[in-house]
Amino acid sequence: MFRPVAQLPLDYSVFKDKKSVFSWAPSGAVLFGNGASVRTGEELKKLGVKKATLVTDQGLVKFGIAERIIQSVREAGIALDVYDKCEPDSSVETVERIAGLAQDSDVLIGLGGGSSMDPAKAAAILVANGGSIRDYQGCDKFTKAPLPIVAIPTAAGTGSECTPFAVIADRQRAWKMPIGGTGIMPALAICDPELTYSLPAGVTAATGMDALTHAIEAYTSRCTEPISDALAMQAIRLIAHAIRPAVYRGDIDRDARYDMMMGAMLAGYAFTSASLGISHCMAHPLGAQYQVPHGVANALCLPVVMEFNMGAWPERYADIAGFFGEDTCGMSVREAAKTGVRCVYELLEDMPIRPLESFGVTEGSLERLADDAMLGGDRPNNPRMTTKEDFIQLYRKVMTLKK
């Protein structure tokens, strides 16, 4: 069925110079383009799949997108079970239910955003390794190869279709649990911009800002390397120019939808190698404790974090201004870096994103949020070191943003 590929452990060592050894280990294949999803069954048949389990949500069932994939798979003569009850920030319990359904499947298909693709990845671990998904928090904790995964994104944001990560909500602990390992990199990603045409403006904005955060944090991480840099730069360029038309005229601007999906995918590949930064450390507790959608949390935190980080690597933030199309000729590096930060503040102003206070976050929330942000696995890779007091001040500043 699926050809074996090299599986390297995830490595986020900080590079000391340009001659350091680094690994680049994406696996699987990508099928990208308008209408690509109708080929799902055909592609699975080529891979020798006899039975699959589809993981999705009720919204995609309601709007007929799930049926498009179901029909394609069944017309190819492949038996199919369907789990269609994924919730936002899918939980430990959801993963366990999917794993129970998929015991005799050859492959798991994650259709949707991260809330569908991530539990499919996590369930793939459980099918092969057993136990509780809590046993696999962290990187490379499983020993047996997970069930192969096919990922079909329906939003341009999470990048989960091309990353070896899953984030699962542990509601007992009010914690978003990271799970990683190259074994859960999807064997096949089917990226069809047509699946995003009907997304409302708010969802397009939140997911698009999530993708931009991935790209910018990968480009400014302490773990950058040449391949991740190239991918992150192009992702920032694409998203910076496509996100506004995708949000406000995404029903007719097909080029913007195409560029957003491409940008989100490239950003996913970039941060797979380069890691992320403290915007994600801040976003995860907001989601776990106050149910702030992940993209919204990153959208609100990103410019504040960029401003905090700017002095640690001003050359990179100056580059970002250029990726947004700003003419920085004649500016000092610091002036250009400030322009890069301003571009993202102005972008946030244009996005239909709710303010943090509307989710119930208060001054009294900040200490616990900061405690959990300090536990974020991406904190060591941020360009500037961060203390608990820094996080309190950063959350406080995010709360002052007016939308």
Side-chain angles (χ1 to χ4, degrees):
M1 190 173 66
F2 293 96
R3 293 181 180 180
V5 296
Q7 299 291 348
L8 301 176
L10 296 174
D11 179 13
Y12 296 117
S13 304
V14 176
F15 291 98
K16 303 300 182 185
D17 58 60
K18 291 185 178 180
K19 296 181 181 179
S20 297
V21 175
F22 69 92
S23 62
W24 174 253
S27 60
V30 174
L31 184 67
F32 192 106
N34 293 326
S37 61
V38 299
R39 291 172 50 181
T40 301
E42 174 188 341
E43 297 302 319
L44 292 181
K45 191 172 183 179
K46 288 178 186 176
L47 295 168
V49 174
K50 303 298 184 185
K51 184 175 182 181
T53 296
L54 177 69
V55 178
T56 190
D57 62 57
Q58 282 293 302
L60 294 175
V61 172
K62 177 181 177 181
F63 289 105
I65 293 175
E67 184 56 34
R68 180 175 180 167
I69 306 304
I70 291 168
Q71 182 176 346
S72 174
V73 172
R74 288 181 172 157
E75 284 181 352
I78 297 168
L80 183 69
D81 288 329
V82 178
Y83 182 88
D84 59 9
K85 295 180 177 58
C86 287
E87 70 275 37
D89 295 328
S90 286
S91 64
V92 168
E93 293 75 19
T94 294
V95 171
E96 292 170 349
R97 287 190 286 268
I98 295 166
L101 183 63
Q103 288 297 316
D104 59 349
S105 288
D106 302 319
V107 66
L108 274 159
I109 306 169
L111 171 69
S115 60
S116 295
M117 291 185 282
D118 284 12
K121 291 178 176 180
I125 295 171
L126 284 192
V127 170
N129 291 269
S132 165
I133 197 59
R134 294 184 178 93
D135 300 334
Y136 305 102
Q137 178 175 326
C139 288
D140 299 308
K141 300 296 185 182
F142 47 87
T143 56
K144 296 180 181 177
L147 207 63
I149 301 143
V150 172
I152 308 174
T154 60
T158 181
S160 188
E161 67 273 12
C162 57
T163 74
F165 305 109
V167 178
I168 302 301
D170 186 341
R171 307 211 193 282
Q172 290 182 15
R173 295 186 291 164
W175 177 251
K176 293 185 104 175
M177 185 169 58
I179 298 165
T182 50
I184 56 170
M185 178 76 86
L188 174 63
I190 300 176
C191 303
D192 183 349
E194 288 183 0
L195 301 184
T196 70
Y197 288 175
S198 61
L199 281 181
V203 176
T204 301
T207 55
M209 291 297 290
D210 187 26
L212 181 65
T213 306
H214 294 157
I216 288 175
E217 292 207 308
Y219 189 64
T220 57
S221 163
R222 292 183 173 206
C223 302
T224 61
E225 41 79 8
I227 298 175
S228 69
D229 279 353
L231 293 164
M233 287 189 286
Q234 182 64 356
I236 297 168
R237 290 189 185 101
L238 287 170
I239 296 166
H241 292 88
I243 188 169
R244 287 180 176 93
V247 168
Y248 290 111
R249 59 172 191 269
D251 56 331
I252 59 172
D253 196 329
R254 296 188 173 192
D255 288 344
R257 291 293 194 183
Y258 187 101
D259 287 350
M260 286 301 298
M261 182 158 278
M262 179 63 75
M265 184 185 73
L266 295 179
Y269 278 124
F271 86 77
T272 288
S273 182
S275 187
L276 293 164
I278 61 170
S279 183
H280 276 76
C281 296
M282 295 175 68
H284 288 312
L286 289 170
Q289 296 177 34
Y290 291 94
Q291 290 71 58
V292 182
H294 182 66
V296 171
N298 267 323
L300 294 169
C301 293
L302 177 61
V304 173
V305 165
M306 289 176 66
E307 191 169 35
F308 173 82
N309 285 335
M310 183 186 71
W313 206 353
E315 295 83 1
R316 288 276 163 144
Y317 291 93
D319 289 345
I320 290 167
F323 302 154
F324 269 77
E326 295 287 326
D327 183 358
T328 59
C329 292
M331 292 184 186
S332 68
V333 171
R334 185 172 183 273
E335 289 172 330
K338 290 175 70 174
T339 300
V341 175
R342 174 178 57 78
C343 286
V344 178
Y345 269 117
E346 291 176 351
L347 178 59
L348 176 60
E349 289 177 5
D350 290 345
M351 294 292 102
I353 299 287
R354 292 167 54 188
L356 197 56
E357 63 184 13
S358 70
F359 294 93
V361 180
T362 66
E363 180 70 24
S365 311
L366 302 188
E367 183 150 349
R368 184 184 174 196
L369 287 169
D371 282 335
D372 283 0
M374 285 291 290
L375 300 175
D378 296 308
R379 188 170 70 91
N381 305 324
N382 193 66
R384 177 176 169 180
M385 285 293 93
T386 319
T387 66
K388 177 180 175 180
E389 184 58 33
D390 289 330
F391 277 123
I392 290 174
Q393 295 300 327
L394 288 167
Y395 277 122
R396 185 173 287 134
K397 186 163 186 178
V398 173
M399 288 178 61
T400 68
L401 296 177
K402 301 300 181 184
K403 293 292 298 170

